[in-house]
Coordinates of all heavy atoms in Angstrom, one line a residue:
M285 N -22.8 -0.7 -6.2 CA -22.1 -1.0 -7.3 C -20.8 -0.2 -7.2 O -20.8 0.9 -7.1 CB -22.8 -0.8 -8.5 CG -22.0 -0.9 -9.8 SD -22.4 -2.5 -10.5 CE -21.4 -2.3 -12.0
I286 N -19.6 -0.9 -7.4 CA -18.3 -0.3 -7.5 C -18.1 0.3 -8.9 O -18.3 -0.4 -9.8 CB -17.2 -1.3 -7.1 CG1 -17.5 -1.8 -5.7 CG2 -15.9 -0.6 -7.2 CD1 -16.6 -3.0 -5.4
E287 N -17.7 1.6 -9.0 CA -17.5 2.2 -10.2 C -16.0 2.2 -10.6 O -15.1 2.4 -9.7 CB -18.0 3.7 -10.1 CG -19.5 3.7 -10.0 CD -20.0 5.2 -10.2 OE1 -19.4 6.0 -10.9 OE2 -21.1 5.4 -9.6
K288 N -15.7 2.0 -11.9 CA -14.5 2.0 -12.4 C -14.0 3.5 -12.5 O -14.8 4.4 -12.7 CB -14.7 1.5 -13.9 CG -13.4 1.0 -14.6 CD -13.8 0.4 -15.8 CE -12.7 -0.1 -16.7 NZ -13.1 -0.8 -17.9
L289 N -12.7 3.7 -12.3 CA -12.1 5.1 -12.4 C -12.3 5.6 -13.8 O -11.9 4.9 -14.8 CB -10.8 5.1 -11.9 CG -10.4 4.9 -10.4 CD1 -8.9 5.0 -10.2 CD2 -11.2 6.0 -9.6
S290 N -12.5 6.9 -14.0 CA -12.4 7.5 -15.3 C -11.0 7.6 -15.7 O -10.1 7.6 -14.8 CB -13.1 8.9 -15.3 OG -12.2 9.8 -14.6
P291 N -10.7 7.7 -17.0 CA -9.3 7.9 -17.4 C -8.6 9.1 -16.7 O -7.5 9.1 -16.3 CB -9.3 8.1 -18.9 CG -10.6 7.4 -19.3 CD -11.6 7.6 -18.1
E292 N -9.3 10.2 -16.5 CA -8.8 11.4 -15.8 C -8.4 11.1 -14.4 O -7.4 11.4 -13.8 CB -9.7 12.5 -15.9 CG -10.0 13.0 -17.4 CD -11.0 12.1 -18.1 OE1 -11.8 11.4 -17.5 OE2 -11.0 12.2 -19.4
A293 N -9.4 10.4 -13.7 CA -9.1 10.1 -12.4 C -8.0 9.1 -12.1 O -7.2 9.2 -11.2 CB -10.4 9.5 -11.7
R294 N -7.8 8.1 -13.1 CA -6.7 7.2 -13.0 C -5.4 7.9 -13.2 O -4.4 7.8 -12.4 CB -6.8 6.2 -14.2 CG -5.7 5.2 -14.1 CD -5.8 4.2 -15.3 NE -7.0 4.1 -16.1 CZ -7.1 4.6 -17.4 NH1 -6.0 5.3 -17.8 NH2 -8.1 4.5 -18.1
I295 N -5.3 8.8 -14.1 CA -4.1 9.6 -14.3 C -3.7 10.4 -13.1 O -2.5 10.4 -12.6 CB -4.2 10.5 -15.6 CG1 -4.2 9.7 -16.8 CG2 -3.1 11.5 -15.7 CD1 -4.7 10.5 -18.1
T296 N -4.6 11.1 -12.5 CA -4.4 11.9 -11.3 C -3.9 11.0 -10.1 O -3.0 11.3 -9.4 CB -5.7 12.7 -10.9 OG1 -6.0 13.5 -12.0 CG2 -5.5 13.4 -9.6
A297 N -4.6 9.8 -10.0 CA -4.3 8.9 -8.9 C -2.9 8.4 -9.0 O -2.1 8.2 -8.1 CB -5.3 7.8 -8.8
L298 N -2.5 8.0 -10.3 CA -1.1 7.5 -10.4 C 0.0 8.5 -10.1 O 1.1 8.0 -9.8 CB -1.0 6.9 -11.9 CG -1.7 5.6 -12.0 CD1 -1.7 5.2 -13.5 CD2 -1.1 4.5 -11.3
R299 N -0.3 9.7 -10.3 CA 0.7 10.8 -9.8 C 1.1 10.7 -8.4 O 2.2 11.0 -8.0 CB 0.2 12.2 -10.2 CG 0.3 12.4 -11.6 CD -0.1 14.0 -11.8 NE -0.7 14.1 -13.1 CZ -1.8 14.8 -13.3 NH1 -2.4 15.4 -12.4 NH2 -2.3 14.8 -14.5
D300 N 0.0 10.3 -7.6 CA 0.3 10.2 -6.1 C 0.8 8.8 -5.6 O 1.0 8.6 -4.5 CB -1.0 10.5 -5.4 CG -1.5 11.9 -5.6 OD1 -0.7 12.8 -5.8 OD2 -2.8 12.0 -5.5
L301 N 1.0 7.8 -6.6 CA 1.4 6.5 -6.3 C 2.7 6.2 -7.0 O 2.8 5.4 -7.9 CB 0.3 5.5 -6.7 CG -1.0 5.5 -5.8 CD1 -2.0 4.5 -6.5 CD2 -0.7 5.1 -4.4
A302 N 3.8 6.8 -6.4 CA 5.0 6.6 -7.0 C 5.4 5.1 -7.0 O 5.2 4.4 -6.0 CB 6.1 7.4 -6.2
G303 N 6.0 4.7 -8.1 CA 6.4 3.2 -8.2 C 5.4 2.3 -8.7 O 5.7 1.2 -9.1
W304 N 4.1 2.7 -8.8 CA 3.0 1.9 -9.3 C 3.0 2.2 -10.8 O 3.0 3.3 -11.2 CB 1.7 2.1 -8.7 CG 1.7 1.7 -7.2 CD1 2.1 2.3 -6.1 CD2 1.2 0.4 -6.8 NE1 2.0 1.6 -5.0 CE2 1.3 0.4 -5.3 CE3 0.6 -0.7 -7.4 CZ2 1.0 -0.7 -4.6 CZ3 0.2 -1.8 -6.7 CH2 0.5 -1.8 -5.3
Q305 N 2.8 1.1 -11.6 CA 2.7 1.3 -13.1 C 1.3 0.9 -13.5 O 0.6 -0.1 -13.0 CB 3.6 0.4 -13.8 CG 5.1 0.7 -13.4 CD 6.0 -0.3 -14.1 OE1 5.7 -1.5 -14.1 NE2 7.2 0.2 -14.5
Y306 N 0.8 1.5 -14.5 CA -0.5 1.2 -15.1 C -0.4 0.0 -16.0 O 0.5 0.1 -16.8 CB -1.2 2.4 -15.8 CG -2.6 2.1 -16.3 CD1 -3.5 1.8 -15.5 CD2 -2.7 2.2 -17.7 CE1 -4.8 1.5 -16.0 CE2 -4.0 1.9 -18.2 CZ -5.0 1.6 -17.4 OH -6.2 1.3 -17.9
V307 N -1.3 -0.9 -15.9 CA -1.2 -2.1 -16.8 C -2.5 -1.9 -17.6 O -3.7 -2.3 -17.2 CB -1.2 -3.4 -16.0 CG1 -1.2 -4.7 -17.0 CG2 0.0 -3.5 -15.1
E308 N -2.3 -1.5 -18.8 CA -3.5 -1.1 -19.7 C -4.4 -2.2 -20.1 O -5.7 -2.1 -19.9 CB -2.9 -0.4 -21.0 CG -4.0 0.1 -21.8 CD -3.6 0.9 -23.0 OE1 -2.3 1.1 -23.1 OE2 -4.4 1.3 -23.9
D309 N -3.8 -3.4 -20.4 CA -4.7 -4.5 -20.9 C -5.5 -5.2 -19.8 O -6.4 -5.9 -19.9 CB -3.9 -5.6 -21.5 CG -2.8 -6.3 -20.7 OD1 -2.4 -5.7 -19.7 OD2 -2.5 -7.5 -21.0
R310 N -5.2 -4.8 -18.5 CA -5.9 -5.2 -17.3 C -6.7 -4.2 -16.6 O -7.5 -4.4 -15.7 CB -5.0 -5.9 -16.3 CG -4.2 -7.2 -16.7 CD -5.1 -8.4 -16.7 NE -5.9 -8.6 -15.4 CZ -5.5 -9.2 -14.4 NH1 -4.3 -9.7 -14.3 NH2 -6.4 -9.4 -13.3
D311 N -6.5 -2.9 -17.0 CA -6.9 -1.8 -16.3 C -6.6 -1.9 -14.8 O -7.6 -2.0 -13.9 CB -8.4 -1.5 -16.5 CG -8.9 -0.1 -16.1 OD1 -8.0 0.8 -15.9 OD2 -10.1 0.1 -15.8
A312 N -5.3 -2.1 -14.5 CA -4.8 -2.4 -13.2 C -3.6 -1.6 -12.9 O -3.0 -0.9 -13.8 CB -4.5 -3.9 -13.1
I313 N -3.2 -1.6 -11.6 CA -1.8 -1.1 -11.3 C -1.0 -2.2 -10.7 O -1.5 -3.1 -10.1 CB -1.9 0.1 -10.3 CG1 -2.8 -0.3 -9.1 CG2 -2.5 1.3 -11.1 CD1 -2.9 0.8 -8.0
L314 N 0.3 -2.1 -10.9 CA 1.3 -3.0 -10.6 C 2.5 -2.4 -10.0 O 3.0 -1.4 -10.4 CB 1.8 -3.8 -11.9 CG 2.9 -4.9 -11.8 CD1 2.3 -6.0 -11.1 CD2 3.3 -5.2 -13.2
R315 N 3.0 -3.2 -9.0 CA 4.3 -2.7 -8.3 C 5.1 -3.9 -7.8 O 4.5 -4.9 -7.4 CB 4.0 -1.7 -7.1 CG 5.2 -1.4 -6.3 CD 5.3 0.0 -6.0 NE 6.7 0.4 -5.5 CZ 7.0 1.0 -4.4 NH1 6.0 1.4 -3.7 NH2 8.2 1.2 -4.1
S316 N 6.4 -3.8 -8.0 CA 7.3 -4.8 -7.5 C 8.0 -4.2 -6.3 O 8.4 -3.1 -6.3 CB 8.2 -5.2 -8.6 OG 7.6 -5.8 -9.6
F317 N 8.3 -5.1 -5.3 CA 9.0 -4.8 -4.1 C 10.1 -5.8 -3.9 O 10.0 -6.9 -4.2 CB 8.1 -4.8 -2.8 CG 6.9 -4.0 -3.0 CD1 5.7 -4.4 -3.5 CD2 6.9 -2.6 -2.4 CE1 4.7 -3.5 -3.6 CE2 5.9 -1.9 -2.5 CZ 4.7 -2.3 -3.1
K318 N 11.3 -5.3 -3.4 CA 12.4 -6.1 -3.1 C 12.9 -6.0 -1.6 O 12.9 -4.8 -1.1 CB 13.6 -5.8 -4.0 CG 14.8 -6.6 -3.9 CD 15.9 -6.3 -4.8 CE 17.0 -7.2 -4.7 NZ 18.2 -6.8 -5.5
F319 N 13.2 -7.1 -1.0 CA 13.5 -7.2 0.4 C 14.9 -7.8 0.6 O 15.4 -8.3 -0.4 CB 12.4 -7.9 1.1 CG 11.0 -7.3 1.0 CD1 10.2 -7.6 -0.1 CD2 10.5 -6.4 1.9 CE1 9.0 -7.1 -0.2 CE2 9.4 -5.9 1.8 CZ 8.5 -6.1 0.7
K320 N 15.3 -7.7 1.8 CA 16.7 -8.2 2.2 C 16.7 -9.8 1.9 O 17.6 -10.3 1.6 CB 17.1 -7.9 3.5 CG 17.5 -6.4 3.7 CD 17.9 -6.2 5.1 CE 18.1 -4.6 5.3 NZ 18.4 -4.3 6.6
N321 N 15.5 -10.4 2.4 CA 15.4 -11.8 2.3 C 14.0 -12.4 2.3 O 13.0 -11.5 2.3 CB 16.2 -12.4 3.5 CG 15.6 -11.8 4.8 OD1 14.4 -11.7 5.1 ND2 16.5 -11.4 5.7
F322 N 13.8 -13.6 2.3 CA 12.5 -14.2 2.1 C 11.7 -13.9 3.4 O 10.4 -13.5 3.3 CB 12.6 -15.7 2.0 CG 11.3 -16.4 2.0 CD1 10.4 -16.4 0.9 CD2 10.7 -17.1 3.0 CE1 9.3 -17.0 0.8 CE2 9.6 -17.8 3.0 CZ 8.8 -17.7 1.9
S323 N 12.2 -13.9 4.5 CA 11.5 -13.6 5.8 C 10.9 -12.2 5.8 O 9.7 -12.0 6.2 CB 12.3 -13.8 7.0 OG 12.7 -15.1 7.2
E324 N 11.6 -11.3 5.3 CA 11.1 -9.9 5.3 C 10.0 -9.7 4.2 O 9.0 -9.0 4.4 CB 12.3 -8.8 5.0 CG 13.1 -8.6 6.1 CD 14.1 -7.5 5.9 OE1 13.9 -6.6 4.9 OE2 15.1 -7.4 6.7
A325 N 10.2 -10.4 3.1 CA 9.1 -10.4 2.0 C 7.9 -11.0 2.6 O 6.8 -10.5 2.4 CB 9.6 -11.2 0.8
W326 N 8.0 -12.1 3.3 CA 6.8 -12.8 3.9 C 6.2 -12.0 4.9 O 4.9 -11.9 5.0 CB 7.2 -14.2 4.4 CG 6.0 -15.0 4.7 CD1 5.5 -15.2 5.9 CD2 5.3 -15.8 3.9 NE1 4.4 -16.0 5.9 CE2 4.2 -16.5 4.5 CE3 5.5 -16.1 2.5 CZ2 3.4 -17.3 4.0 CZ3 4.6 -17.0 1.8 CH2 3.6 -17.6 2.6
A327 N 6.9 -11.3 5.8 CA 6.3 -10.4 6.8 C 5.5 -9.3 6.1 O 4.5 -9.0 6.6 CB 7.4 -9.9 7.7
F328 N 6.1 -8.7 5.0 CA 5.4 -7.7 4.3 C 4.1 -8.2 3.8 O 3.0 -7.6 3.9 CB 6.3 -7.2 3.2 CG 5.6 -6.4 2.1 CD1 5.3 -5.1 2.3 CD2 5.3 -6.9 0.9 CE1 4.6 -4.3 1.4 CE2 4.7 -6.2 -0.1 CZ 4.4 -4.8 0.1
M329 N 4.1 -9.4 3.1 CA 2.9 -10.0 2.6 C 1.8 -10.2 3.7 O 0.7 -10.1 3.5 CB 3.2 -11.3 1.9 CG 4.0 -11.0 0.6 SD 4.5 -12.6 -0.2 CE 2.9 -13.2 -0.8
T330 N 2.3 -10.6 4.9 CA 1.4 -10.9 6.0 C 0.7 -9.6 6.4 O -0.5 -9.5 6.6 CB 2.1 -11.5 7.2 OG1 2.7 -12.7 6.8 CG2 1.2 -11.7 8.4
R331 N 1.5 -8.5 6.5 CA 0.9 -7.2 6.9 C -0.1 -6.8 5.8 O -1.3 -6.2 6.1 CB 1.9 -6.1 7.0 CG 2.7 -6.3 8.3 CD 3.6 -5.2 8.7 NE 4.7 -5.1 7.7 CZ 5.9 -5.8 7.8 NH1 6.1 -6.6 8.8 NH2 6.9 -5.6 6.9
V332 N 0.2 -7.0 4.5 CA -0.7 -6.6 3.4 C -1.9 -7.5 3.5 O -3.1 -7.0 3.3 CB 0.0 -6.7 2.1 CG1 -1.0 -6.5 0.9 CG2 1.1 -5.7 1.9
A333 N -1.7 -8.8 3.7 CA -3.0 -9.6 3.6 C -4.0 -9.3 4.9 O -5.1 -9.3 4.7 CB -2.5 -11.1 3.9
L334 N -3.4 -9.0 6.0 CA -4.2 -8.6 7.1 C -5.1 -7.3 6.8 O -6.3 -7.2 7.0 CB -3.6 -8.4 8.4 CG -3.0 -9.7 9.0 CD1 -2.0 -9.4 10.1 CD2 -4.1 -10.7 9.3
S335 N -4.5 -6.4 6.1 CA -5.1 -5.1 5.8 C -6.0 -5.4 4.6 O -7.1 -4.7 4.6 CB -4.1 -4.0 5.3 OG -3.3 -3.7 6.4
A336 N -5.7 -6.1 3.7 CA -6.6 -6.5 2.5 C -7.8 -7.1 3.0 O -9.0 -6.8 2.5 CB -5.8 -7.3 1.6
E337 N -7.6 -8.0 4.0 CA -8.9 -8.7 4.6 C -9.8 -7.7 5.2 O -11.0 -7.8 5.0 CB -8.4 -9.8 5.5 CG -9.5 -10.7 6.0 CD -10.0 -11.5 4.9 OE1 -9.4 -11.7 3.8 OE2 -11.2 -12.1 5.1
K338 N -9.2 -6.8 6.0 CA -10.1 -5.7 6.6 C -10.7 -4.8 5.6 O -11.9 -4.4 5.8 CB -9.2 -4.9 7.5 CG -8.7 -5.5 8.8 CD -7.9 -4.6 9.6 CE -7.4 -5.3 10.9 NZ -6.5 -4.5 11.6
Q339 N -10.1 -4.6 4.5 CA -10.8 -3.7 3.4 C -11.6 -4.6 2.5 O -12.3 -4.0 1.6 CB -9.6 -3.1 2.6 CG -8.9 -2.1 3.4 CD -7.8 -1.4 2.6 OE1 -8.0 -1.2 1.3 NE2 -6.7 -1.0 3.1
D340 N -11.6 -5.9 2.7 CA -12.4 -6.8 1.9 C -12.0 -6.6 0.3 O -12.9 -6.5 -0.5 CB -13.9 -6.8 2.1 CG -14.6 -7.8 1.4 OD1 -14.1 -9.0 1.2 OD2 -15.8 -7.6 1.0
H341 N -10.7 -6.4 0.1 CA -10.2 -6.2 -1.3 C -8.9 -6.9 -1.3 O -7.9 -6.5 -0.6 CB -10.2 -4.7 -1.5 CG -9.9 -4.5 -3.0 ND1 -10.7 -5.0 -4.0 CD2 -8.9 -3.7 -3.6 CE1 -10.2 -4.5 -5.2 NE2 -9.1 -3.8 -4.9
H342 N -8.7 -7.9 -2.2 CA -7.6 -8.7 -2.2 C -6.7 -8.6 -3.4 O -7.2 -8.6 -4.5 CB -8.0 -10.2 -1.9 CG -8.9 -10.3 -0.8 ND1 -10.2 -10.3 -0.9 CD2 -8.5 -10.4 0.6 CE1 -10.7 -10.3 0.4 NE2 -9.8 -10.4 1.3
P343 N -5.4 -8.5 -3.3 CA -4.5 -8.4 -4.4 C -4.3 -9.6 -5.2 O -4.4 -10.7 -4.6 CB -3.2 -7.9 -3.8 CG -3.2 -8.5 -2.4 CD -4.6 -8.5 -2.0
E344 N -3.8 -9.5 -6.4 CA -3.3 -10.6 -7.1 C -1.7 -10.4 -6.9 O -1.2 -9.3 -7.1 CB -3.5 -10.5 -8.6 CG -5.0 -10.6 -9.0 CD -5.3 -10.6 -10.4 OE1 -4.4 -10.8 -11.2 OE2 -6.4 -10.2 -10.8
W345 N -1.0 -11.4 -6.4 CA 0.4 -11.2 -6.2 C 1.2 -12.6 -6.3 O 0.7 -13.5 -6.4 CB 0.6 -10.6 -4.8 CG 0.1 -11.3 -3.6 CD1 -0.6 -12.6 -3.6 CD2 0.0 -10.9 -2.3 NE1 -0.9 -12.9 -2.3 CE2 -0.6 -11.9 -1.5 CE3 0.4 -9.7 -1.6 CZ2 -0.8 -11.7 -0.1 CZ3 0.2 -9.6 -0.4 CH2 -0.4 -10.6 0.5
S346 N 2.5 -12.3 -6.4 CA 3.4 -13.4 -6.5 C 4.7 -13.1 -5.6 O 5.0 -12.0 -5.3 CB 3.8 -13.8 -7.9 OG 4.5 -12.7 -8.4
N347 N 5.3 -14.2 -5.1 CA 6.5 -14.0 -4.3 C 7.5 -15.0 -4.7 O 7.2 -16.2 -4.9 CB 6.1 -14.2 -2.9 CG 7.3 -14.5 -1.9 OD1 7.4 -15.5 -1.4 ND2 8.2 -13.5 -1.9
V348 N 8.7 -14.6 -5.0 CA 9.9 -15.4 -5.2 C 11.0 -14.9 -4.4 O 11.5 -13.8 -4.6 CB 10.2 -15.4 -6.8 CG1 11.5 -16.3 -7.0 CG2 9.0 -16.0 -7.6
Y349 N 11.4 -15.7 -3.5 CA 12.5 -15.4 -2.5 C 12.2 -14.0 -1.9 O 11.4 -13.8 -1.0 CB 13.8 -15.6 -3.1 CG 14.9 -15.2 -2.1 CD1 15.0 -16.0 -0.9 CD2 15.9 -14.3 -2.3 CE1 16.0 -15.7 0.1 CE2 16.8 -13.9 -1.3 CZ 16.9 -14.6 -0.2 OH 17.8 -14.5 0.8
N350 N 13.0 -12.9 -2.4 CA 12.9 -11.6 -1.7 C 12.1 -10.6 -2.5 O 12.2 -9.4 -2.2 CB 14.3 -11.1 -1.4 CG 15.1 -10.8 -2.7 OD1 14.8 -11.4 -3.7 ND2 16.1 -9.9 -2.6
R351 N 11.4 -11.1 -3.5 CA 10.6 -10.2 -4.3 C 9.2 -10.5 -4.2 O 8.7 -11.6 -4.2 CB 11.1 -10.3 -5.8 CG 12.5 -9.9 -6.0 CD 12.9 -10.0 -7.4 NE 14.3 -9.8 -7.6 CZ 14.8 -8.6 -7.8 NH1 14.0 -7.5 -7.8 NH2 16.1 -8.4 -7.9
V352 N 8.3 -9.4 -4.2 CA 6.9 -9.5 -4.2 C 6.4 -8.6 -5.3 O 6.8 -7.5 -5.4 CB 6.3 -9.1 -2.8 CG1 4.7 -9.2 -2.9 CG2 6.8 -10.0 -1.7
E353 N 5.5 -9.1 -6.1 CA 4.9 -8.4 -7.2 C 3.3 -8.3 -6.9 O 2.7 -9.4 -6.6 CB 5.1 -9.0 -8.5 CG 4.6 -8.1 -9.6 CD 5.0 -8.6 -11.0 OE1 6.1 -8.3 -11.4 OE2 4.3 -9.4 -11.6
I354 N 2.8 -7.1 -6.9 CA 1.4 -6.9 -6.5 C 0.6 -6.3 -7.7 O 1.1 -5.2 -8.2 CB 1.2 -6.1 -5.3 CG1 1.9 -6.8 -4.1 CG2 -0.3 -5.9 -4.9 CD1 1.8 -6.1 -2.7
L355 N -0.5 -6.8 -8.1 CA -1.4 -6.3 -9.1 C -2.7 -6.0 -8.4 O -3.3 -6.8 -7.8 CB -1.5 -7.2 -10.3 CG -2.3 -6.6 -11.4 CD1 -1.6 -6.7 -12.8 CD2 -3.7 -7.2 -11.5
L356 N -3.2 -4.7 -8.6 CA -4.5 -4.4 -8.1 C -5.4 -4.0 -9.2 O -5.1 -3.2 -10.0 CB -4.3 -3.2 -7.1 CG -3.5 -3.4 -5.9 CD1 -3.3 -2.1 -5.1 CD2 -4.0 -4.5 -5.0
T357 N -6.6 -4.6 -9.1 CA -7.7 -4.2 -10.1 C -9.0 -4.8 -9.3 O -8.9 -5.6 -8.5 CB -7.6 -5.0 -11.5 OG1 -8.6 -4.5 -12.3 CG2 -7.8 -6.5 -11.3
T358 N -10.1 -4.2 -9.7 CA -11.4 -4.6 -9.0 C -12.1 -5.4 -10.0 O -12.6 -4.9 -11.0 CB -12.2 -3.3 -8.6 OG1 -11.4 -2.6 -7.8 CG2 -13.4 -3.7 -7.9
H359 N -12.3 -6.7 -9.7 CA -13.0 -7.6 -10.6 C -14.5 -7.3 -10.7 O -15.1 -7.5 -11.8 CB -12.9 -9.0 -10.0 CG -11.4 -9.5 -10.1 ND1 -10.6 -9.6 -8.9 CD2 -10.6 -9.8 -11.1 CE1 -9.4 -9.9 -9.3 NE2 -9.3 -10.0 -10.6
D360 N -15.2 -6.7 -9.6 CA -16.5 -6.3 -9.7 C -16.8 -5.3 -10.9 O -18.0 -5.4 -11.3 CB -17.0 -5.8 -8.4 CG -17.1 -6.9 -7.3 OD1 -17.0 -8.1 -7.7 OD2 -17.1 -6.6 -6.1
C361 N -15.9 -4.4 -11.1 CA -16.1 -3.5 -12.2 C -15.2 -3.6 -13.4 O -15.2 -2.8 -14.3 CB -16.1 -2.0 -11.6 SG -14.4 -1.5 -11.2
R362 N -14.5 -4.7 -13.3 CA -13.5 -5.0 -14.4 C -12.5 -3.9 -14.7 O -12.3 -3.5 -15.9 CB -14.2 -5.5 -15.7 CG -15.1 -6.7 -15.5 CD -15.7 -7.1 -16.7 NE -16.5 -8.3 -16.4 CZ -17.5 -8.7 -17.1 NH1 -17.9 -8.0 -18.2 NH2 -18.2 -9.8 -16.8
G363 N -12.0 -3.4 -13.7 CA -11.0 -2.3 -13.9 C -10.6 -1.7 -12.6 O -10.9 -2.1 -11.5
L364 N -9.9 -0.6 -12.6 CA -9.3 0.1 -11.6 C -10.4 0.9 -10.9 O -11.2 1.6 -11.5 CB -8.2 1.1 -12.1 CG -7.1 1.5 -11.1 CD1 -6.4 0.4 -10.5 CD2 -6.2 2.4 -11.8
S365 N -10.4 0.8 -9.6 CA -11.5 1.6 -8.8 C -10.8 2.3 -7.6 O -9.5 2.0 -7.2 CB -12.5 0.7 -8.4 OG -12.1 -0.1 -7.2
E366 N -11.5 3.0 -6.8 CA -11.1 3.7 -5.6 C -10.6 2.6 -4.6 O -9.6 2.9 -3.8 CB -12.1 4.5 -4.9 CG -12.5 5.8 -5.7 CD -11.3 6.8 -5.6 OE1 -10.5 6.7 -4.6 OE2 -11.2 7.6 -6.5
R367 N -11.1 1.4 -4.6 CA -10.7 0.4 -3.6 C -9.3 0.0 -3.9 O -8.5 -0.3 -3.0 CB -11.6 -0.9 -3.9 CG -13.1 -0.7 -3.5 CD -13.8 -1.9 -3.7 NE -13.7 -2.7 -2.4 CZ -14.1 -3.9 -2.3 NH1 -14.7 -4.5 -3.3 NH2 -14.0 -4.5 -1.1
D368 N -8.8 0.0 -5.2 CA -7.5 -0.3 -5.6 C -6.5 0.8 -5.0 O -5.4 0.5 -4.5 CB -7.3 -0.5 -7.1 CG -8.2 -1.6 -7.6 OD1 -8.1 -2.7 -7.1 OD2 -9.0 -1.2 -8.4
L369 N -6.9 2.0 -5.2 CA -6.1 3.2 -4.8 C -5.9 3.1 -3.3 O -4.9 3.3 -2.7 CB -6.8 4.5 -5.1 CG -7.0 4.6 -6.7 CD1 -7.6 6.0 -6.9 CD2 -5.7 4.4 -7.5
K370 N -7.0 2.8 -2.5 CA -7.0 2.8 -1.0 C -6.0 1.6 -0.7 O -5.2 1.9 0.3 CB -8.4 2.5 -0.6 CG -8.4 2.5 1.0 CD -9.8 2.2 1.5 CE -9.8 2.1 3.0 NZ -11.2 1.7 3.5
L371 N -6.1 0.5 -1.2 CA -5.3 -0.6 -0.9 C -3.8 -0.3 -1.3 O -2.9 -0.6 -0.5 CB -5.7 -1.9 -1.5 CG -4.9 -3.2 -1.0 CD1 -4.9 -3.3 0.5 CD2 -5.5 -4.5 -1.7
A372 N -3.6 0.3 -2.3 CA -2.2 0.6 -2.7 C -1.6 1.6 -1.8 O -0.4 1.4 -1.3 CB -2.2 1.3 -4.1
K373 N -2.4 2.6 -1.2 CA -1.9 3.5 -0.2 C -1.5 2.8 1.1 O -0.5 3.2 1.7 CB -2.9 4.6 -0.1 CG -3.0 5.6 -1.2 CD -4.0 6.6 -1.1 CE -4.1 7.5 -2.4 NZ -5.2 8.4 -2.4
T374 N -2.3 1.8 1.5 CA -2.1 1.0 2.6 C -0.7 0.2 2.4 O 0.0 0.1 3.3 CB -3.3 0.1 2.9 OG1 -4.4 0.9 3.1 CG2 -3.0 -0.7 4.1
I375 N -0.6 -0.4 1.2 CA 0.6 -1.2 0.9 C 1.8 -0.3 1.0 O 2.9 -0.8 1.6 CB 0.4 -1.8 -0.4 CG1 -0.6 -2.9 -0.4 CG2 1.8 -2.4 -0.9 CD1 -1.1 -3.5 -1.7
E376 N 1.7 0.9 0.6 CA 2.9 1.8 0.6 C 3.4 2.0 2.1 O 4.6 2.2 2.3 CB 2.6 3.2 0.0 CG 2.4 3.1 -1.5 CD 3.7 2.6 -2.2 OE1 4.8 3.2 -1.8 OE2 3.6 1.7 -3.0
K377 N 2.4 2.0 3.0 CA 2.9 2.1 4.5 C 3.8 1.0 4.9 O 4.6 1.2 5.8 CB 1.6 2.3 5.3 CG 0.8 3.4 5.1 CD -0.4 3.4 6.0 CE -1.4 4.5 5.6 NZ -2.6 4.5 6.3
F378 N 3.7 -0.2 4.3 CA 4.4 -1.3 4.7 C 5.6 -1.5 3.8 O 6.4 -2.5 4.1 CB 3.6 -2.6 4.7 CG 2.3 -2.6 5.4 CD1 1.1 -2.9 4.9 CD2 2.3 -2.2 6.7 CE1 -0.1 -2.8 5.6 CE2 1.1 -2.1 7.5 CZ -0.1 -2.4 6.9
A379 N 5.8 -0.8 2.8 CA 6.8 -1.0 1.8 C 8.2 -0.7 2.4 O 8.4 0.2 3.2 CB 6.6 -0.1 0.5
P380 N 9.2 -1.5 1.9 CA 10.5 -1.1 2.3 C 11.0 0.3 1.7 O 10.5 0.7 0.8 CB 11.4 -2.1 1.7 CG 10.7 -2.6 0.5 CD 9.2 -2.4 0.8
A381 N 11.8 1.0 2.5 CA 12.4 2.3 2.2 C 13.1 2.2 0.9 O 14.0 1.2 0.8 CB 13.2 2.9 3.3
E382 N 12.9 3.1 0.0 CA 13.6 3.1 -1.3 C 15.1 3.5 -1.0 O 15.4 4.4 -0.2 CB 13.0 4.1 -2.3 CG 11.7 3.7 -2.6 CD 11.6 2.6 -3.6 OE1 12.4 2.4 -4.5 OE2 10.7 1.7 -3.5
K383 N 16.0 3.0 -1.6 CA 17.4 3.3 -1.5 C 17.9 4.0 -2.7 O 17.5 4.0 -3.8 CB 18.2 2.0 -1.4 CG 18.0 1.3 0.0 CD 18.8 0.0 0.1 CE 18.4 -0.7 1.4 NZ 19.2 -1.9 1.5

């Protein structure tokens, strides 16, 4: 059984995930990414999708042209879990450099 993060663990984890925002009504984390164009956004989504599949944990996301928005929550525990943090850290490796 996957366990939901405690409020204290959530606060600590978010300190290490710059750019991710807590979504209280979903007990989730959210981040938006901006790319030069649609092709770069799509390539990013492909890398994330392959990693998510390997981790067997899939994001809720949307894409409009050069923007990708990703929301992570664990449906099995109805909230934020270590699985979300692990995937967020993986996603950060593929994120465009901040300007």
